[in-house]
C-alpha cells in the first residue's frame, strides 16, 4: 500500500495482520483508513463492533459479500470495495453494497471484457478481464461471473474443475464434483465424491482423499468438506447441481 506523505512527516501506519479483528475497536480513530481483505472484514462484521465516525475501510483481493458490506455500512463504516485483479490492479470501486462499480478515471471499456488503460505519454494498454461484466452506461458495471471459472479462496484464484481432476485420479474415486461452499457453509471448496464399487468406507476414504490432495494441491485448493453418494447431484434438467454438505454422509 502506498500512502502520500504530508510535508516532512510520515503518516502513522499500524500493521494489524498479526492481531485479531476484535482489536480494531480499541485502535481505530476518527479519520483512519483501514485496508483489509473480505474475510477479515467478515470477522469484523460478525463482531458487531461500533466504530468511530469518519473511518473508511478498503477491501480488495476478492469479492466482498453484500451482506458483509451492508452490515459494516449499517455500523457506520464507509467501506470502499475495489474490483480488479493481480494483472490489472484496481479497475473500479464502489462504496455501497450491491451497487455497480465505477471505473477509475484511467480505464475505459473498449469491449465487453476488454479495458484500455491510459499511460502518461505512452501508448494505451489493453487488458482482457477474467470476469464477464454487465455494463450500465460507459463507466459503471457489475461482475457477471468468471470467464475462466476460477473462484477466490483466501484471496487466491483456484479452479474447482482442476481440483476435481486431481481427486478423480484417486483409485477409489469413480466421479466427483468440486464447488465453492455456500455462504452458510463456509469460505472454502467442498467436494462430492462417488466411490468406486467396493470403496464403501466413507470415513476411510475421507482420510485417504485428505492425504491425496495434501500431496498434490496447495492449501487454498484443498476441499475441506467431503460428501459421498452413489451418484453426483443433478437438477431436474440433468445438469450438475449444488448440494448441502450436512445432507450427505
Amino acid at each position: 500500500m502506498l500512502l502520500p506523505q504530508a510535508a516532512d512527516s510520515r503518516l502513522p501506519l499500524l500493521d494489524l495482520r498479526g492481531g485479531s479483528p476484535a482489536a480494531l475497536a480499541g485502535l481505530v480513530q476518527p479519520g483512519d483508513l483501514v485496508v483489509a481483505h473480505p474475510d477479515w472484514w467478515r470477522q469484523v462484521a460478525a463482531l458487531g463492533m461500533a466504530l468511530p465516525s469518519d473511518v473508511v475501510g478498503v477491501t480488495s483481493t476478492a469479492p466482498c459479500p453484500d451482506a458483509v458490506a451492508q452490515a459494516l455500512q449499517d455500523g457506520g463504516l464507509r467501506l470502499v470495495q475495489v474490483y480488479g485483479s493481480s494483472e490489472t490492479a484496481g479497475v473500479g470501486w464502489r462504496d455501497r453494497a450491491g451497487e455497480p462499480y465505477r471505473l477509475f478515471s484511467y480505464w475505459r471499456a473498449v469491449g465487453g471484457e476488454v479495458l484500455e488503460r491510459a499511460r502518461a505519454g505512452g501508448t494505451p494498454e489493453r487488458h482482457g478481464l477474467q470476469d464477464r461484466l454487465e455494463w450500465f452506461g460507459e463507466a459503471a458495471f457489475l461482475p457477471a461471473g468468471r470467464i475462466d471459472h476460477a473462484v477466490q479462496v483466501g484471496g487466491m484464484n483456484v479452479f474447482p474443475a482442476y481440483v476435481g481432476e486431481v481427486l478423480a485420479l484417486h483409485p477409489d474415486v469413480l466421479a466427483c464434483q468440486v464447488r465453492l461452499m455456500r455462504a452458510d457453509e463456509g469460505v472454502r471448496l467442498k467436494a462430492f465424491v462417488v466411490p468406486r464399487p467396493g470403496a464403501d468406507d466413507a470415513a476411510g476414504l475421507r482420510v485417504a482423499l485428505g492425504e491425496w490432495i495434501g500431496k498434490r494441491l496447495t492449501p487454498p485448493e484443498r476441499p475441506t468438506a467431503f460428501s459421498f453418494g452413489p451418484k453426483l447431484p443433478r437438477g431436474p434438467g440433468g445438469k450438475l447441481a449444488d448440494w448441502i454438505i450436512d445432507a450427505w454422509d
Side-chain angles (χ1 to χ4, degrees), residues 205-226:
L205 183 54
R206 182 178 283 108
V207 172
L209 291 177
E211 295 174 350
W212 181 266
I213 61 177
K215 298 176 181 178
R216 294 167 173 82
L217 298 173
T218 64
E221 292 176 314
R222 300 169 192 166
T224 56
F226 288 91

mmCIF file of all heavy atoms in Angstrom, residues 205-226:
data_model
loop_
_atom_site.group_PDB
_atom_site.id
_atom_site.type_symbol
_atom_site.label_atom_id
_atom_site.label_comp_id
_atom_site.label_asym_id
_atom_site.label_seq_id
_atom_site.Cartn_x
_atom_site.Cartn_y
_atom_site.Cartn_z
ATOM 1 N N LEU A 205 -12.220 -43.339 3.302
ATOM 2 C CA LEU A 205 -11.970 -42.661 2.034
ATOM 3 C C LEU A 205 -11.748 -41.171 2.263
ATOM 4 O O LEU A 205 -10.912 -40.552 1.592
ATOM 5 C CB LEU A 205 -13.141 -42.888 1.079
ATOM 6 C CG LEU A 205 -13.001 -42.294 -0.328
ATOM 7 C CD1 LEU A 205 -11.713 -42.757 -0.996
ATOM 8 C CD2 LEU A 205 -14.210 -42.658 -1.185
ATOM 9 N N ARG A 206 -12.469 -40.600 3.215
ATOM 10 C CA ARG A 206 -12.273 -39.179 3.529
ATOM 11 C C ARG A 206 -10.832 -38.926 3.979
ATOM 12 O O ARG A 206 -10.194 -37.955 3.560
ATOM 13 C CB ARG A 206 -13.264 -38.741 4.599
ATOM 14 C CG ARG A 206 -13.166 -37.260 4.957
ATOM 15 C CD ARG A 206 -14.197 -36.855 5.990
ATOM 16 N NE ARG A 206 -15.523 -36.718 5.400
ATOM 17 C CZ ARG A 206 -16.526 -37.558 5.598
ATOM 18 N NH1 ARG A 206 -16.350 -38.635 6.354
ATOM 19 N NH2 ARG A 206 -17.699 -37.351 5.039
ATOM 20 N N VAL A 207 -10.316 -39.801 4.825
ATOM 21 C CA VAL A 207 -8.931 -39.665 5.290
ATOM 22 C C VAL A 207 -7.957 -39.844 4.124
ATOM 23 O O VAL A 207 -6.995 -39.085 3.962
ATOM 24 C CB VAL A 207 -8.631 -40.683 6.406
ATOM 25 C CG1 VAL A 207 -7.141 -40.674 6.752
ATOM 26 C CG2 VAL A 207 -9.461 -40.371 7.644
ATOM 27 N N ALA A 208 -8.220 -40.851 3.289
ATOM 28 C CA ALA A 208 -7.328 -41.129 2.161
ATOM 29 C C ALA A 208 -7.302 -39.964 1.174
ATOM 30 O O ALA A 208 -6.235 -39.603 0.649
ATOM 31 C CB ALA A 208 -7.767 -42.410 1.455
ATOM 32 N N LEU A 209 -8.459 -39.359 0.929
ATOM 33 C CA LEU A 209 -8.506 -38.233 -0.002
ATOM 34 C C LEU A 209 -7.806 -37.009 0.583
ATOM 35 O O LEU A 209 -7.184 -36.232 -0.148
ATOM 36 C CB LEU A 209 -9.957 -37.903 -0.350
ATOM 37 C CG LEU A 209 -10.689 -38.950 -1.198
ATOM 38 C CD1 LEU A 209 -12.137 -38.544 -1.416
ATOM 39 C CD2 LEU A 209 -9.982 -39.158 -2.534
ATOM 40 N N GLY A 210 -7.914 -36.839 1.894
ATOM 41 C CA GLY A 210 -7.194 -35.741 2.528
ATOM 42 C C GLY A 210 -5.693 -35.873 2.345
ATOM 43 O O GLY A 210 -4.992 -34.888 2.082
ATOM 44 N N GLU A 211 -5.190 -37.096 2.477
ATOM 45 C CA GLU A 211 -3.763 -37.334 2.269
ATOM 46 C C GLU A 211 -3.394 -37.151 0.795
ATOM 47 O O GLU A 211 -2.325 -36.621 0.466
ATOM 48 C CB GLU A 211 -3.408 -38.746 2.732
ATOM 49 C CG GLU A 211 -3.592 -38.952 4.240
ATOM 50 C CD GLU A 211 -3.380 -40.397 4.652
ATOM 51 O OE1 GLU A 211 -3.283 -41.266 3.749
ATOM 52 O OE2 GLU A 211 -3.314 -40.661 5.872
ATOM 53 N N TRP A 212 -4.287 -37.563 -0.092
ATOM 54 C CA TRP A 212 -4.053 -37.468 -1.541
ATOM 55 C C TRP A 212 -3.894 -36.009 -1.979
ATOM 56 O O TRP A 212 -2.929 -35.654 -2.661
ATOM 57 C CB TRP A 212 -5.220 -38.132 -2.262
ATOM 58 C CG TRP A 212 -5.158 -38.153 -3.762
ATOM 59 C CD1 TRP A 212 -5.719 -37.250 -4.620
ATOM 60 C CD2 TRP A 212 -4.523 -39.138 -4.584
ATOM 61 N NE1 TRP A 212 -5.480 -37.606 -5.923
ATOM 62 C CE2 TRP A 212 -4.742 -38.766 -5.932
ATOM 63 C CE3 TRP A 212 -3.799 -40.297 -4.320
ATOM 64 C CZ2 TRP A 212 -4.260 -39.509 -7.002
ATOM 65 C CZ3 TRP A 212 -3.317 -41.043 -5.391
ATOM 66 C CH2 TRP A 212 -3.547 -40.644 -6.709
ATOM 67 N N ILE A 213 -4.838 -35.175 -1.585
ATOM 68 C CA ILE A 213 -4.773 -33.775 -2.014
ATOM 69 C C ILE A 213 -3.693 -33.009 -1.250
ATOM 70 O O ILE A 213 -3.166 -32.013 -1.749
ATOM 71 C CB ILE A 213 -6.138 -33.074 -1.855
ATOM 72 C CG1 ILE A 213 -6.586 -33.064 -0.390
ATOM 73 C CG2 ILE A 213 -7.175 -33.731 -2.748
ATOM 74 C CD1 ILE A 213 -7.892 -32.309 -0.160
ATOM 75 N N GLY A 214 -3.354 -33.488 -0.035
ATOM 76 C CA GLY A 214 -2.302 -32.825 0.723
ATOM 77 C C GLY A 214 -0.958 -32.868 0.024
ATOM 78 O O GLY A 214 -0.110 -31.995 0.224
ATOM 79 N N LYS A 215 -0.759 -33.879 -0.817
ATOM 80 C CA LYS A 215 0.498 -34.026 -1.551
ATOM 81 C C LYS A 215 0.457 -33.381 -2.932
ATOM 82 O O LYS A 215 1.501 -33.241 -3.575
ATOM 83 C CB LYS A 215 0.829 -35.511 -1.713
ATOM 84 C CG LYS A 215 1.041 -36.258 -0.398
ATOM 85 C CD LYS A 215 1.261 -37.733 -0.653
ATOM 86 C CE LYS A 215 1.448 -38.509 0.648
ATOM 87 N NZ LYS A 215 1.613 -39.971 0.402
ATOM 88 N N ARG A 216 -0.739 -32.993 -3.401
ATOM 89 C CA ARG A 216 -0.874 -32.566 -4.793
ATOM 90 C C ARG A 216 -1.472 -31.174 -4.986
ATOM 91 O O ARG A 216 -1.406 -30.631 -6.090
ATOM 92 C CB ARG A 216 -1.741 -33.588 -5.547
ATOM 93 C CG ARG A 216 -1.077 -34.960 -5.659
ATOM 94 C CD ARG A 216 -2.064 -36.028 -6.114
ATOM 95 N NE ARG A 216 -1.375 -37.304 -6.365
ATOM 96 C CZ ARG A 216 -1.067 -38.171 -5.413
ATOM 97 N NH1 ARG A 216 -1.404 -37.906 -4.144
ATOM 98 N NH2 ARG A 216 -0.429 -39.300 -5.710
ATOM 99 N N LEU A 217 -2.073 -30.610 -3.947
ATOM 100 C CA LEU A 217 -2.742 -29.319 -4.081
ATOM 101 C C LEU A 217 -2.246 -28.344 -3.020
ATOM 102 O O LEU A 217 -1.822 -28.750 -1.935
ATOM 103 C CB LEU A 217 -4.261 -29.488 -3.940
ATOM 104 C CG LEU A 217 -4.963 -30.366 -4.979
ATOM 105 C CD1 LEU A 217 -6.429 -30.566 -4.599
ATOM 106 C CD2 LEU A 217 -4.851 -29.760 -6.374
ATOM 107 N N THR A 218 -2.329 -27.067 -3.342
ATOM 108 C CA THR A 218 -1.981 -26.038 -2.363
ATOM 109 C C THR A 218 -3.100 -25.930 -1.331
ATOM 110 O O THR A 218 -4.241 -26.341 -1.595
ATOM 111 C CB THR A 218 -1.795 -24.682 -3.051
ATOM 112 O OG1 THR A 218 -3.041 -24.277 -3.631
ATOM 113 C CG2 THR A 218 -0.728 -24.765 -4.139
ATOM 114 N N PRO A 219 -2.829 -25.374 -0.152
ATOM 115 C CA PRO A 219 -3.878 -25.273 0.875
ATOM 116 C C PRO A 219 -5.180 -24.630 0.394
ATOM 117 O O PRO A 219 -6.262 -25.160 0.688
ATOM 118 C CB PRO A 219 -3.195 -24.464 1.983
ATOM 119 C CG PRO A 219 -1.753 -24.857 1.877
ATOM 120 C CD PRO A 219 -1.505 -24.982 0.390
ATOM 121 N N PRO A 220 -5.157 -23.506 -0.358
ATOM 122 C CA PRO A 220 -6.443 -22.947 -0.802
ATOM 123 C C PRO A 220 -7.214 -23.862 -1.754
ATOM 124 O O PRO A 220 -8.438 -23.763 -1.853
ATOM 125 C CB PRO A 220 -6.039 -21.643 -1.505
ATOM 126 C CG PRO A 220 -4.710 -21.296 -0.942
ATOM 127 C CD PRO A 220 -4.036 -22.609 -0.705
ATOM 128 N N GLU A 221 -6.501 -24.753 -2.468
ATOM 129 C CA GLU A 221 -7.161 -25.634 -3.430
ATOM 130 C C GLU A 221 -7.816 -26.845 -2.771
ATOM 131 O O GLU A 221 -8.668 -27.491 -3.387
ATOM 132 C CB GLU A 221 -6.144 -26.140 -4.459
ATOM 133 C CG GLU A 221 -5.602 -25.078 -5.397
ATOM 134 C CD GLU A 221 -4.525 -25.627 -6.317
ATOM 135 O OE1 GLU A 221 -3.617 -26.337 -5.817
ATOM 136 O OE2 GLU A 221 -4.587 -25.349 -7.527
ATOM 137 N N ARG A 222 -7.434 -27.172 -1.555
ATOM 138 C CA ARG A 222 -7.889 -28.416 -0.933
ATOM 139 C C ARG A 222 -9.306 -28.277 -0.376
ATOM 140 O O ARG A 222 -9.561 -27.438 0.484
ATOM 141 C CB ARG A 222 -6.944 -28.813 0.198
ATOM 142 C CG ARG A 222 -5.513 -29.049 -0.256
ATOM 143 C CD ARG A 222 -4.578 -29.174 0.931
ATOM 144 N NE ARG A 222 -3.186 -29.107 0.507
ATOM 145 C CZ ARG A 222 -2.165 -28.914 1.340
ATOM 146 N NH1 ARG A 222 -2.389 -28.777 2.644
ATOM 147 N NH2 ARG A 222 -0.938 -28.853 0.871
ATOM 148 N N PRO A 223 -10.254 -29.099 -0.827
ATOM 149 C CA PRO A 223 -11.588 -29.077 -0.225
ATOM 150 C C PRO A 223 -11.509 -29.421 1.261
ATOM 151 O O PRO A 223 -10.736 -30.290 1.668
ATOM 152 C CB PRO A 223 -12.343 -30.160 -1.003
ATOM 153 C CG PRO A 223 -11.608 -30.281 -2.304
ATOM 154 C CD PRO A 223 -10.168 -30.039 -1.966
ATOM 155 N N THR A 224 -12.313 -28.745 2.051
ATOM 156 C CA THR A 224 -12.328 -29.004 3.489
ATOM 157 C C THR A 224 -13.575 -29.762 3.922
ATOM 158 O O THR A 224 -13.734 -30.053 5.104
ATOM 159 C CB THR A 224 -12.230 -27.688 4.278
ATOM 160 O OG1 THR A 224 -13.286 -26.812 3.872
ATOM 161 C CG2 THR A 224 -10.889 -27.011 4.020
ATOM 162 N N ALA A 225 -14.454 -30.079 2.987
ATOM 163 C CA ALA A 225 -15.647 -30.872 3.297
ATOM 164 C C ALA A 225 -15.891 -31.845 2.151
ATOM 165 O O ALA A 225 -15.884 -31.455 0.978
ATOM 166 C CB ALA A 225 -16.862 -29.973 3.497
ATOM 167 N N PHE A 226 -16.095 -33.121 2.498
ATOM 168 C CA PHE A 226 -16.372 -34.160 1.508
ATOM 169 C C PHE A 226 -17.746 -34.755 1.774
ATOM 170 O O PHE A 226 -18.095 -35.064 2.921
ATOM 171 C CB PHE A 226 -15.322 -35.272 1.573
ATOM 172 C CG PHE A 226 -13.972 -34.876 1.052
ATOM 173 C CD1 PHE A 226 -13.011 -34.354 1.906
ATOM 174 C CD2 PHE A 226 -13.668 -35.014 -0.293
ATOM 175 C CE1 PHE A 226 -11.761 -33.983 1.433
ATOM 176 C CE2 PHE A 226 -12.420 -34.642 -0.782
ATOM 177 C CZ PHE A 226 -11.464 -34.126 0.086
#
